[in-house]
DNA sequence: TCGTTCTCGTTGCATGTGCAACTAGTGCAC
DNA sequence: GTGCACTAGTTGCACATGCAACGAGAACGA
């Protein structure tokens, strides 16, 4: 396939593989996080993002970006987690439009329980993906990603 | 923090970046394919997968795998596209449980129209992503992916 | 001060999704 | 043949999502 060295074709194939790998990992995580901790992947992502934040609080829009979600979805996601007592809404003092979401002790505890599951499934999924020829290269590339300061 | 914790951290970070890049690309594609051709990303993916198949037909389960969708979602997706005249269901002669989905001329035509949009947005999204430090490495890795025969 | 414009977060609504239960058909054991 | 387990695809249902419209507050200019 000499002609398919075309840049468009390379990009398309890269995207297909990226999507495939993403789907593989997400589906695995979704199932196990759900059954073991009653958490969806985005819910875990939000709790995890909060725990990595100084003071454990973030604004709605930051959260939306971190979870790759629309603001309306973020509103309802936060409401869900708040109803379960995993985080709380706190009004901004300086900008009264804004709302901080803060991890509660219960939220941190659940996150601590869920992390091992998350890490294990992630490792298993990557191992699984490495057996698929089209995905092997991409998985290695993921490993090689250097750790940057954010 | 031992060595194994580092491995966990590297995987987690890789996964976050993969998810971020995936979200970036998918959101962009979703918007433009929707407004320009009234196609969602999965719908495009299905049409594209069919067009790459010899004889332009696939079984439901193949389609489900190609689109990373559940079988029920695939059923309704195919129904949607069938209602628009973009593909047709054909009963398998040899296995009467099975159903082939086949691209119609109209489906192929729409796909031909949509592909340039898809390719353009994909390129733009990748260029965009390259400007984000955390994603730069991953984007380059995507480019480097060699083309394997499937 | 008032009015305009922008940003932040929430809500009504339509829609796409996964799970579980179901029907139809296949394949195997006996 | 008859029963039994398995696979392929569809449907009821609950639910998470995005878009558009909205209210509330901030920022700015005249």
């Amino acid at each position: 396939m000499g002609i398919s060295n075309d840049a468009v074709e390379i990009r398309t194939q890269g995207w297909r593989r990226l999507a495939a790998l993403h789907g593989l990992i997400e589906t695995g995580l979704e199932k196990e996080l759900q059954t073991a901790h009653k958490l969806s992947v985005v819910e875990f992502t939000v709790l995890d993002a909060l725990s990595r934040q100084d003071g454990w609080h973030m604004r709605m829009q930051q959260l939306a970006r971190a979870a790759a979600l629309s603001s309306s979805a973020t509103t309802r996601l936060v409401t869900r987690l708040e109803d379960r007592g995993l985080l709380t809404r706190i009004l901004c003092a300086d900008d009264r439009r804004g709302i901080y979401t803060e991890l509660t002790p219960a939220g941190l505890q659940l996150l601590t329980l869920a992390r091992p599951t998350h890490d294990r499934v992630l490792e298993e999924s990557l191992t699984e993906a490495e057996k698929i020829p089209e995905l092997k290269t991409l998985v290695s590339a993921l490993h090689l990603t250097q750790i940057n300061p954010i």
Side-chain angles (χ1 to χ4, degrees), chain A residues 56-77:
Chain A
W56 298 350
H57 66 279
M58 290 172 82
R59 291 184 64 149
M60 298 295 286
Q61 297 238 343
Q62 287 181 271
L63 233 47
R65 245 180 290 118
L69 239 47
S70 71
S71 52
S72 63
T74 307
T75 292
R76 290 179 245 251
L77 175 55

Side-chain angles (χ1 to χ4, degrees), chain A residues 1-146:
Chain A
M1 298 189 70
I3 302 178
S4 59
N5 257 3
D6 188 20
V8 169
E9 192 58 28
I10 291 181
R11 272 195 297 269
T12 304
Q13 200 168 54
W15 161 238
R16 271 206 302 271
R17 288 171 179 180
L18 179 73
L21 182 57
H22 181 270
L24 185 79
I25 297 173
E26 178 155 72
T27 305
L29 283 176
E30 192 73 47
K31 278 184 187 144
E32 300 230 21
L33 283 177
Q34 194 60 250
T35 61
H37 310 282
K38 304 219 178 305
L39 278 177
S40 70
V41 177
V42 267
E43 286 166 350
F44 177 89
T45 303
V46 162
L47 295 183
D48 184 62
L50 276 175
S51 78
R52 292 173 188 274
Q53 199 68 207
D54 292 341
W56 298 350
H57 66 279
M58 290 172 82
R59 291 184 64 149
M60 298 295 286
Q61 297 238 343
Q62 287 181 271
L63 233 47
R65 245 180 290 118
L69 239 47
S70 71
S71 52
S72 63
T74 307
T75 292
R76 290 179 245 251
L77 175 55
V78 166
T79 303
R80 247 165 21 234
L81 296 176
E82 191 180 25
D83 289 345
R84 288 174 63 183
L86 303 177
L87 53 77
T88 52
R89 279 181 165 90
I90 299 180
L91 298 176
C92 287
D94 50 324
D95 183 349
R96 289 194 302 176
R97 292 168 301 182
I99 292 186
Y100 285 118
T101 51
E102 196 169 299
L103 210 56
T104 64
L108 184 61
Q109 188 183 6
L110 178 59
L111 182 60
T112 308
L113 284 174
R115 258 195 191 120
T117 306
H118 177 271
D119 297 339
R120 176 180 54 78
V121 176
L122 183 53
E123 182 183 6
E124 288 171 3
S125 302
L126 288 175
T127 308
E128 185 75 18
E130 251 171 352
K131 295 177 189 161
I132 304 175
E134 305 99 271
L135 300 184
K136 203 174 171 221
T137 318
L138 186 53
V139 174
S140 326
L142 224 56
H143 286 171
L144 289 177
T145 308
Q146 82 286 4

